[in-house]
Amino acid sequence: MALRSRLASVNPERTILIRGALRPGILVEEAEAPASQVPPDVFVLRWLGLGSDSGLASTLVAQECEILYQTCGTQCFGGLDRGRALTAMDAELMAMLEPCSTPKTNCASQPPATMLTQVFWNEPALAPVVTQRDRVGRSARVTIYSYLEQGE
Amino acid sequence: MAQNWFSAPAPIARRARAYFAPVNRVTRMPVVFDASLQGAFDLDSPPASWIDLGPIQGLTRTAGSKSISIMAGVPAAVLEQARETLDAQVRFEFLSWTKLTMALATGSQHMNLLAPAAGAIPACDGVQAAPAVAVQAGSTANILQLAAADVTRFTVGSMVAVDADYTGQTGFVGSPVSGAYLRQPLSDVDYIRRITFNVALVSQVAGSALTLAQPLPAGVPAPGYKLQALTGFVDREGGAFYHEWSALFVITGTQGERIFFHYPRLQSIAGAEEAAQPVGGKQGGGLAQSLLRGRFLALPVIDPLDGERVLCYRSFLPAPRALI
């Protein structure tokens, strides 16, 4: 949710139409219908490994997050600007990830409730560019940390 | 009732940030930092007098104070402890080269390389400088008004030093930062502008005014101040002068907690040193960043609270809602 708000601020024009609703162009893969391919020009979050350290005053949970994004460039340039479009997405991703913390939110409740601690993450590790036909894309990995609070 | 507190583990943080403020060498007054009053300050906009030096790396504090045991009895056993010496050092690496970081990271005098006069004879640090021009009335810390004939000597990108002519004074020289200590008078009229910290980059030239990219550290130029272009900075290994600063290091944890290390009086104890840090790890291809390395000795102040002599204050502002 925090990244969604930040993307809306960084680039309000990066949006996606899902189930009739226009939203900032970032989505969590597991929360959407399965798709064979990552949609272009949006950021897709995929949760990977999970770890925890219970030897602390509060249990620290670490979860690896992969952020995938691809683009074909724009039609008006015939896709020849796909490199620039990917660079723009790189910059948007870096801007979204700063500052590297946000209040922890319980989205299971309605409305979502702000919790006591902060979720925080390390610097992203960006993978090399991958080319698939007319698409160029990249993935970035970030480890997200949070402390377990009462009731979790 | 839902629990409205949590147990906070040890702070997790990225880099510490450093802030320095000049000690008034004449009155021996350091700059005070009060974590209870000022602890929530915006890290990009520190309290008055403090200059933001940005992130630093490798902050290492070493307490070298020694205690002795007072023994009594047969066989002798420790009766009490007494503090024998006070000693604390701090070291770190700056992540940028600026006038101030370079000056802080040397244990000696730091000077401006004034732009040379036409036909000047080469000198290591005191070349005859191009003549200074007078700063006109109406100038501010950000905008310098000059005579129309003088403004043509400066362009966007010029670096300038703004200060008074040297008129033979001795003792600590320079304000608000004492940049040198003179035992005997000199004949160099530009000497104060050589050692002044009142420098800035010109970002715009319009009419007869120079707009500065950053405000002058000393604020609005005083009457009689003059302006000279500079080309860079120089320090030297040797000499008898030590800079003295108040220092504040801030570590901000991921949960919003803050740790402050406040050294009211800090002097550099190392000569100019650099550390080579490879760029991009092993993929750097031989590229290395040259970092300024600073090593400092803390000097004591008298704590007005109880008259004790102290070297450093460590303050901690816990995370909101964290158990204390």
Side-chain angles (χ1 to χ4, degrees):
Chain A
M1 294 298 286
L3 294 184
R4 208 163 98 167
S5 303
R6 290 181 186 183
L7 178 60
S9 166
V10 170
N11 182 4
E13 293 178 4
R14 188 170 301 287
T15 55
I16 184 170
L17 188 66
I18 294 184
R19 296 185 291 278
L22 194 66
R23 297 172 13 187
I26 184 168
L27 51 89
V28 179
E29 187 179 53
E30 69 191 23
E32 304 298 338
S36 58
Q37 198 172 28
V38 171
D41 300 310
V42 297
F43 296 95
V44 178
L45 274 61
R46 179 182 291 165
W47 292 107
L48 302 172
L50 177 69
S52 70
D53 185 349
S54 56
L56 304 173
S58 290
T59 298
L60 178 66
V61 176
Q63 193 160 11
E64 194 173 17
C65 178
E66 187 177 33
I67 305 168
L68 306 104
Y69 47 103
Q70 299 182 349
T71 181
C72 306
T74 58
Q75 283 186 350
C76 56
F77 281 99
L80 299 181
D81 60 344
R82 57 190 182 277
R84 272 173 282 161
L86 187 68
T87 301
M89 294 188 81
D90 291 339
E92 287 171 24
L93 176 69
M94 304 303 272
M96 270 194 289
L97 293 174
E98 285 290 335
C100 54
S101 65
T102 188
K104 190 174 180 181
T105 305
N106 181 1
C107 294
S109 66
Q110 281 299 329
T114 302
M115 302 174 79
L116 301 173
T117 58
Q118 302 274 318
V119 176
F120 55 99
W121 51 86
N122 60 0
E123 289 178 356
L126 274 69
V129 173
V130 175
T131 303
Q132 290 179 318
R133 296 187 180 178
D134 58 341
R135 289 187 178 202
V136 289
R138 192 198 296 283
S139 67
R141 290 197 178 197
V142 180
T143 305
I144 314 281
Y145 300 91
S146 70
Y147 292 113
L148 288 187
E149 297 186 27
Q150 186 196 35
E152 286 193 286
Chain B
M1 191 178 94
Q3 187 174 290
N4 61 2
W5 47 264
F6 73 101
S7 299
I12 297 174
R14 286 190 177 175
R15 291 184 170 121
R17 282 183 78 149
Y19 303 85
F20 278 70
V23 171
N24 187 323
R25 304 297 293 274
V26 178
T27 60
R28 299 188 171 187
M29 282 296 293
V31 175
V32 169
F33 175 75
D34 183 337
S36 69
L37 276 173
Q38 302 167 305
F41 74 89
D42 176 354
L43 294 179
D44 294 325
S45 178
S49 299
W50 293 99
I51 303 166
D52 181 9
L53 294 174
I56 55 171
Q57 74 173 23
L59 175 65
T60 307
R61 301 180 341 113
T62 310
S65 299
K66 291 194 176 104
S67 298
I68 53 167
S69 301
I70 299 171
M71 315 286 280
V74 178
V78 176
L79 186 68
E80 279 186 17
Q81 279 198 104
R83 207 170 293 283
E84 188 180 43
T85 59
L86 280 181
D87 177 31
Q89 294 187 13
V90 58
R91 66 175 192 271
F92 58 88
E93 286 157 4
F94 291 104
L95 296 175
S96 63
W97 281 64
T98 63
K99 162 82 183 168
L100 195 49
T101 58
M102 191 179 166
L104 287 163
T106 181
S108 184
Q109 189 167 318
H110 174 87
M111 292 169 281
N112 304 315
L113 285 169
L114 297 180
I121 299 166
C124 292
D125 56 12
V127 70
Q128 185 192 351
V133 302
V135 177
Q136 303 295 319
S139 297
T140 67
N142 288 88
I143 296 177
L144 300 176
Q145 302 289 349
L146 303 181
D150 293 334
V151 79
T152 55
R153 293 172 48 183
F154 302 93
T155 59
V156 172
S158 292
M159 297 180 286
V160 294
V162 183
D163 218 311
D165 280 344
Y166 175 74
T167 54
Q169 57 266 53
T170 55
F172 287 109
V173 181
S175 177
V177 182
S178 295
Y181 185 90
L182 291 177
R183 292 188 186 82
Q184 57 195 23
L186 305 175
S187 58
D188 180 8
V189 71
D190 299 322
Y191 186 76
I192 294 180
R193 286 182 291 274
R194 290 190 199 281
I195 58 92
T196 188
F197 281 71
N198 209 29
V199 299
L201 177 74
V202 175
S203 64
Q204 190 181 352
V205 181
S208 59
L210 305 182
T211 302
L212 305 178
Q214 65 238 86
L216 291 168
V220 178
Y225 270 28
K226 289 183 179 174
L227 179 74
Q228 262 171 312
L230 62 96
T231 57
F233 311 108
V234 60
D235 58 29
R236 52 192 186 184
E237 187 72 33
F241 180 72
Y242 286 91
H243 280 286
E244 185 171 317
W245 299 82
S246 296
L248 176 68
F249 304 100
V250 184
I251 295 175
T252 304
T254 56
Q255 302 305 306
E257 65 273 55
R258 282 188 176 183
I259 304 169
F260 300 97
F261 304 115
H262 174 217
Y263 291 85
R265 296 179 63 205
L266 214 51
Q267 287 190 354
S268 178
I269 51 170
E273 286 183 353
E274 301 81 35
Q277 176 172 278
V279 174
K282 289 180 180 174
Q283 281 76 44
L287 290 175
Q289 215 176 6
S290 186
L291 304 180
L292 288 165
R293 183 178 279 169
R295 200 145 53 91
F296 302 89
L297 177 70
L299 304 181
V301 292
I302 306 294
D303 191 330
L305 178 69
D306 53 10
E308 292 280 9
R309 285 201 310 161
V310 298
L311 300 174
C312 168
Y313 298 88
R314 180 176 67 177
S315 308
F316 176 53
L317 301 185
R321 304 292 185 92
L323 280 180
I324 55 175

